[in-house]
Amino acid sequence: MSINSVQLFGRLGQDPEAIWSDSGLRTKGSLAVTIDKTTTDWYALTAFGKTAEILANFVRKGEQVAIEGRLSLSGWVDGAGNPRSKAEIVVDSISLIAGNKKASPTGSATPVMARQTVPATSTSDDDAIDQIPF
């Protein structure tokens, strides 16, 4: 059995970049995770579909988020023949953390919900009602 699961809590290092293609929306970004007072690790993030839409539209540089996803490794050979590799986190869900500010249309800042989890795939309202156990 194999498990590829990542959970991180940190701050976005840049405004997410939305990229449209024939296969849909993809959003790229980075996450800074502070290990101790002197060490910060940086992770590349990629999200697809509804999660990409939420990341691109509602989260900005410096805001705290908790993400869940999987590690994706890719490798290639560059033009000089050197092997290269890249690791990124493919985000399945994102939780916005209390204390984040989102500007309202009037220009004043309003707090984002304390925890808002956005799954990678969403169901319709009818499907959600059918899943309620009572």
Side-chain angles (χ1 to χ4, degrees):
M1 178 172 74
S2 299
I3 297 175
N4 183 350
S5 180
V6 176
Q7 295 179 338
L8 295 170
F9 175 83
R11 292 187 181 271
L12 285 186
Q14 65 189 50
D15 284 343
E17 175 188 0
I19 303 164
W20 286 96
S21 68
D22 292 341
S23 59
L25 177 63
R26 176 178 69 159
T27 301
K28 299 187 89 43
S30 63
L31 186 71
V33 178
T34 303
I35 305 305
D36 56 40
K37 292 183 180 184
T38 61
T39 306
T40 300
D41 289 340
W42 290 86
Y43 298 92
L45 303 177
T46 299
F48 299 93
K50 188 70 171 172
T51 304
E53 185 180 326
I54 297 299
L55 189 58
N57 292 324
F58 297 105
V59 187
R60 294 290 166 252
K61 177 181 177 178
E63 292 183 339
Q64 290 182 327
V65 295
I67 62 108
E68 293 183 32
R70 63 182 172 82
L71 184 62
S72 176
L73 303 172
S74 57
W76 68 94
V77 177
D78 68 13
N82 299 315
R84 304 295 231 169
S85 63
K86 178 183 177 183
E88 66 183 346
I89 308 300
V90 177
V91 179
D92 292 328
S93 68
I94 184 168
S95 297
L96 308 177
I97 306 303
N100 289 339
K101 302 291 182 186
K102 181 72 177 163
S104 69
T106 62
S108 64
T110 57
V112 174
M113 292 176 58
R115 181 176 171 100
Q116 178 181 355
T117 302
V118 181
T121 58
S122 61
T123 59
S124 70
D125 290 340
D126 291 339
D127 292 339
I129 291 172
D130 290 342
Q131 295 175 4
I132 297 174
F134 50 85

